[in-house]
Amino acid sequence: MPVLTMRDALNQALREEMKRDESVFLLGEDIGLYDGSFKVTRGLMKEFGEKRVLDTPIAEEIIVGAAIGAAMSGLRPVAEMMTVNFIMVAMDQVVNAAAHIRYMFGGGTKVPLVIRTPGGGGHQLGAQHSHSHENWFAHVPGLKVVAPGTPADAKGMLKSAIRDDNPVMFIENEGTYAVKGEVPDGEHLVPLDKNDVKRQGDDITICAHSRMLIVAMDAATELEKEGISAEVVDMRALRPLDMMPVIESVKKTSRLITVEEGWRSYGVGAEIASRVYEEAFDYLDAPVARIGAAEVPAPYNKRLEKIAFPGKADVVVTAKALLGKN
Amino acid sequence: MKVEQRPAESKSPATLSDKATLLKLHREMLLVRRFEEKTAEMYQAAKIGGFCHLNIGEEATIVGTISSLRPDDYVYSTYREHGHAIAKGIEPNAVMAELFGKETGTSHGRGGSMHLFSQEHRFYGGYAIVGQALPIACGTGYSITYRERDEVVMSIFGDGATNIGAFHESLNVAKLWHLPIVFVCVNNLYGMGTAVNRASAVTEIWKKACAYNMTGERVDGMDVLAVRRITDQLVEQARAKHEPSLLECVTYRYRGHSMSDPDTYRGKDEIKEWQGRDPILTLGDHLKQQKLLTDQEIQKIDEEVTAEVEAAVKFAEESPEPDPKELFRDVYAEAGAA
């Protein structure tokens, strides 16, 4: 199987879907002539032309709004927000419009729209370029939210998102674009509503999505050296949230750690923990442990930034503590 | 506020000397008026919930602009949109039923007064966030150019919307991308309770088009023939040349911002003065002078549209409520949904 970076896997998905369906078009800031801020759209304007790869002004509200209108009028837009931090400018369009239009108009129309946007920190970009906000969107009925952590899932979920008839928030991560992995050629579809056990284990369950999936997998490898068998559940499908693999895993391991790159308060881990308490409380031998970013705006200083975001060591230490092995 | 009329470079199209068109404009304005009066009555009788914003006074602007469109053209509107929906061809029955929250309403009772919609009539929705629908209308405009069609989008909003960023972002890309859009600003002189001159540095809204090198026009929004004439030109410009425009229609709402507005921010004299220029009476007088209608005929038309509105109320009253088991219907589109 070919090995691709996350960036190239996403690019392949876009290219394949644009070839397959003429109603698919891309719009965003510097995605065409400039080849994309993170080069995910590299070469696509050259291949498909300016109509299908539309460079926009730096005006997030018009990007998302126009994508909604196009989606209601027969097209399948894929909008790129350069980073998830910038989407705050367009939140009215995302939440009040994209998410609610179908319902508030009684099912009279649909909004087959994908918004791709990377979050994540670790590049000394400070408080306005480094955060993760997928939980904000996962709160909203009417949106679908996915956050793949492997190149194969990135390709397969992006293709599924483009074919879906609903607004899909497709959360990427700046720190994973160069990550490599095997990616199936051609038609490879991954469902938007299925989470996935990425590593089998018996002693403890670790839930993570996006870049934190990689952190969790690394932590599991390290824990294995210390005789701890960790199961890693990829929470790539955040809304609708597929809890089945987590519940099944917790029934086996009785211990759960959630890992997310954003702040813990009102976060993804909070939701997962709550559902585990509701559905599998009796199986737990310890409280659910949540790992997330320090509750500060992302600092610029390299050392401060490193301790502000969760890493492998946090997961290893927490796992050992939950198992009473520190 | 005194309206300084900027003469539009209009040549009177033949359609306006056409009796059928004149009568249609008159009848539609009267229908909207009677519908809204009945809506107020039903709101006071607690048959209608939520917020309720009426179009009374604005009929010339509504009918003068929308009647210029083809059935396959698109309209995006605001939360003050009952008249817009009716002018675009949606049956009063379905509009009233939506106000009543019934399953037979335009949005199956999920939307209400502020969220009317009809795919069939290309009435692409009432939106209740000021300025929100302009970017969305641009997306439909882009879709039209993308698919090489010749439809036009009419994006209707109030004067209050012209101070928000979305308005400016939309005018910019409409011109930049040559979108077939007519932006219609219903300048009724107040954004909720705040007068235009207390909210906008530029009180002649049409001038805001200049910043985007776009055609801007201002018209007396109480004169349905003037509104229709200029709209015909701008719609044609959008359709044939893919050149967008901004049309400011200066008009007035006789009632408060919504049914719950005590209307303390404007003088009674001002309201009276505008009512003295009533668009329906003005056109009626014109038609009588032209010997196209008699008082008796106007009376008869009034009785007919009043009966139509009464029938809409009856339809709404007798329609079923949405089934509670269907609370979650249409949160998401299932695969293959329309």
Side-chain angles (χ1 to χ4, degrees):
Chain A
M1 206 181 292
V3 172
L4 295 180
T5 61
M6 181 81 89
R7 172 183 289 116
D8 290 339
L10 291 163
N11 183 275
Q12 192 176 83
L14 293 170
R15 177 177 279 108
E16 287 177 10
E17 291 306 297
M18 290 180 79
K19 275 189 181 158
R20 190 186 64 82
D21 181 353
E22 276 195 11
S23 69
V24 176
F25 80 103
L26 317 182
L27 73 166
E29 296 156 1
D30 277 316
I31 63 166
L33 201 57
Y34 191 89
D35 269 340
S37 185
F38 295 101
K39 307 302 172 198
V40 172
T41 52
R42 183 162 49 201
L44 295 178
M45 181 185 265
K46 206 170 176 186
E47 186 172 343
F48 295 99
E50 293 185 22
K51 187 177 89 172
R52 298 190 67 193
V53 182
L54 179 62
D55 275 326
T56 67
I58 301 169
E60 284 79 11
E61 191 166 3
I62 196 77
I63 296 171
V64 178
I68 292 168
M72 290 166 69
S73 319
L75 301 183
R76 290 189 174 271
V78 181
E80 177 177 299
M81 289 281 117
M82 198 181 289
T83 89
V84 76
N85 307 272
F86 305 167
I87 208 171
M88 300 305 150
V89 179
M91 279 304 261
D92 173 55
Q93 294 292 347
V94 176
V95 178
N96 285 320
H100 298 342
I101 275 175
R102 181 171 175 81
Y103 191 87
M104 80 185 188
F105 293 151
T109 186
K110 61 185 179 184
V111 186
L113 158 69
V114 179
I115 300 175
R116 293 181 35 245
T117 185
H123 305 276
Q124 284 195 275
L125 295 173
Q128 296 188 334
H129 276 66
S130 304
H131 294 141
S132 296
H133 293 300
E134 50 270 27
N135 58 320
W136 292 31
F137 305 106
H139 178 66
V140 182
L143 296 178
K144 293 188 177 182
V145 184
V146 298
T150 70
D153 284 351
K155 175 181 173 179
M157 293 185 101
L158 183 52
K159 284 168 73 79
S160 294
I162 291 171
R163 297 183 196 188
D164 196 273
D165 279 342
N166 296 282
V168 180
M169 295 300 304
F170 192 93
I171 307 294
E172 299 168 10
N173 190 295
E174 292 171 35
T176 66
Y177 283 132
V179 168
K180 289 182 179 172
E182 290 190 335
V183 179
D185 259 335
E187 188 77 347
H188 167 61
L189 297 171
V190 173
L192 302 179
D193 59 354
K194 290 280 178 289
N195 283 323
D196 187 40
V197 176
K198 286 286 196 282
R199 178 192 170 108
Q200 307 270 349
D202 298 316
D203 299 331
I204 190 163
T205 302
I206 307 171
C207 278
H209 62 278
S210 194
R211 187 170 75 84
M212 289 300 114
L213 175 68
I214 297 163
V215 168
M217 293 295 278
D218 287 350
T221 304
E222 181 140 335
L223 287 167
E224 190 177 27
K225 292 179 199 153
E226 304 193 31
I228 296 168
S229 164
E231 181 146 303
V232 178
V233 182
D234 179 1
M235 302 304 285
R236 60 193 185 183
L238 294 172
R239 186 177 189 109
L241 177 61
D242 176 24
M243 283 298 293
M244 183 86 87
V246 187
I247 301 294
E248 291 304 313
S249 184
V250 166
K251 284 179 178 173
K252 181 169 63 172
T253 66
S254 304
R255 286 176 174 81
L256 174 63
I257 300 174
T258 66
V259 194
E260 64 201 293
E261 193 166 340
W263 303 299
R264 292 188 309 172
S265 300
Y266 305 92
V268 173
E271 181 65 28
I272 293 169
S274 176
R275 296 213 193 181
V276 167
Y277 290 139
E278 286 162 0
E279 294 173 44
F281 185 78
D282 291 342
Y283 292 91
L284 287 170
D285 285 344
V288 175
R290 290 183 291 149
I291 295 174
E295 307 248 347
V296 295
Y300 163 72
N301 174 272
K302 198 167 189 171
R303 186 185 295 173
L304 291 181
E305 186 188 48
K306 195 167 168 50
I307 57 174
F309 286 105
K312 183 175 71 174
D314 299 303
V315 182
V316 169
V317 168
T318 305
K320 285 158 75 174
L322 269 191
L323 287 159
K325 294 193 175 177
N326 267 349
Chain B
M1 181 188 277
K2 195 167 172 351
V3 180
E4 286 169 38
Q5 193 59 50
R6 179 173 173 272
E9 299 165 23
S10 63
K11 39 187 186 315
S12 237
T15 49
L16 290 187
S17 56
D18 167 41
K19 182 180 174 184
T21 303
L22 289 166
L23 295 186
K24 184 170 175 283
L25 296 176
H26 178 260
R27 187 188 191 90
E28 280 189 8
M29 287 198 294
L30 199 52
L31 175 60
V32 170
R33 173 71 55 90
R34 295 294 177 249
F35 184 94
E36 292 291 65
E37 287 167 348
K38 183 55 77 175
T39 296
E41 195 185 316
M42 291 298 107
Y43 189 86
Q44 275 150 353
K47 299 284 185 186
I48 297 170
F51 285 145
C52 190
H53 313 82
L54 303 178
N55 286 126
I56 296 175
E58 300 178 349
E59 294 88 351
T61 293
I62 294 166
V63 173
T65 52
I66 295 175
S67 68
S68 192
L69 299 174
R70 296 193 321 217
D72 61 345
D73 290 332
Y74 299 82
V75 169
Y76 280 90
S77 187
T78 71
Y79 49 85
R80 189 187 304 286
E81 90 283 34
H82 309 161
H84 303 157
I86 290 170
K88 192 66 177 60
I90 303 178
E91 303 74 17
N93 282 6
V95 178
M96 191 61 85
E98 187 60 33
L99 306 188
F100 276 54
K102 297 298 183 75
E103 184 62 42
T104 53
T106 62
S107 308
H108 304 294
R110 271 65 166 187
S113 167
M114 301 193 282
H115 303 306
L116 305 175
F117 183 90
S118 171
Q119 179 73 45
E120 181 194 344
H121 300 90
R122 299 229 163 144
F123 184 80
Y124 263 36
Y127 296 78
I129 306 289
V130 169
Q132 181 188 62
L134 282 81
I136 304 175
C138 288
T140 293
Y142 191 73
S143 176
I144 291 169
T145 59
Y146 188 98
R147 292 177 295 125
E148 298 175 2
R149 307 289 291 254
D150 74 339
E151 296 114 356
V152 165
V153 182
M154 183 172 282
S155 171
I156 307 174
F157 47 87
D159 46 277
T162 68
N163 303 313
I164 204 165
F167 167 84
H168 296 276
E169 294 187 23
S170 299
L171 263 66
N172 181 52
V173 299
K175 181 66 186 184
L176 186 70
W177 298 339
H178 301 285
L179 304 181
I181 302 187
V182 181
F183 293 102
V184 174
C185 175
V186 180
N187 181 2
N188 62 19
L189 314 188
Y190 295 88
M192 208 164 144
T194 302
V196 171
N197 63 359
R198 295 179 63 225
S200 181
V202 176
T203 54
E204 289 178 71
I205 305 293
W206 69 273
K207 287 184 178 171
K208 297 188 183 187
C210 302
Y212 303 100
N213 200 20
M214 183 187 288
T215 308
E217 295 286 357
R218 181 180 235 210
V219 70
D220 178 358
M222 305 303 272
D223 178 348
V224 70
L225 301 185
V227 173
R228 172 64 185 263
R229 242 183 247 125
I230 187 65
T231 310
D232 279 347
Q233 287 180 25
L234 299 177
V235 167
E236 181 56 23
Q237 173 182 313
R239 199 182 311 283
K241 299 184 191 158
H242 274 221
E243 281 298 326
S245 57
L246 171 63
L247 173 63
E248 175 189 6
C249 301
V250 183
T251 181
Y252 202 75
R253 51 170 165 75
Y254 298 170
R255 303 291 188 104
H257 166 74
S258 72
M259 287 297 295
S260 49
D261 172 11
D263 212 350
T264 52
Y265 47 84
R266 43 183 207 179
K268 293 254 185 307
D269 291 349
E270 180 184 294
I271 301 173
K272 261 211 179 91
E273 190 186 326
W274 280 88
Q275 284 174 328
R277 303 181 49 220
D278 188 79
I280 303 171
L281 295 177
T282 304
L283 181 63
D285 288 346
H286 174 73
L287 293 175
K288 281 189 282 182
Q289 277 167 15
Q290 301 289 312
K291 310 277 183 216
L292 294 172
L293 275 183
T294 63
D295 277 322
Q296 289 76 10
E297 284 168 326
I298 289 177
Q299 180 63 32
K300 188 163 173 285
I301 293 166
D302 202 345
E303 283 164 13
E304 284 168 10
V305 299
T306 301
E308 202 176 334
V309 170
E310 289 293 349
V313 169
K314 185 164 186 288
F315 174 81
E317 289 268 23
E318 292 172 358
S319 287
E321 302 264 351
D323 185 344
K325 289 201 285 289
E326 297 200 321
L327 173 65
F328 294 98
R329 191 183 78 194
D330 297 322
V331 175
Y332 292 96
E334 303 301 325

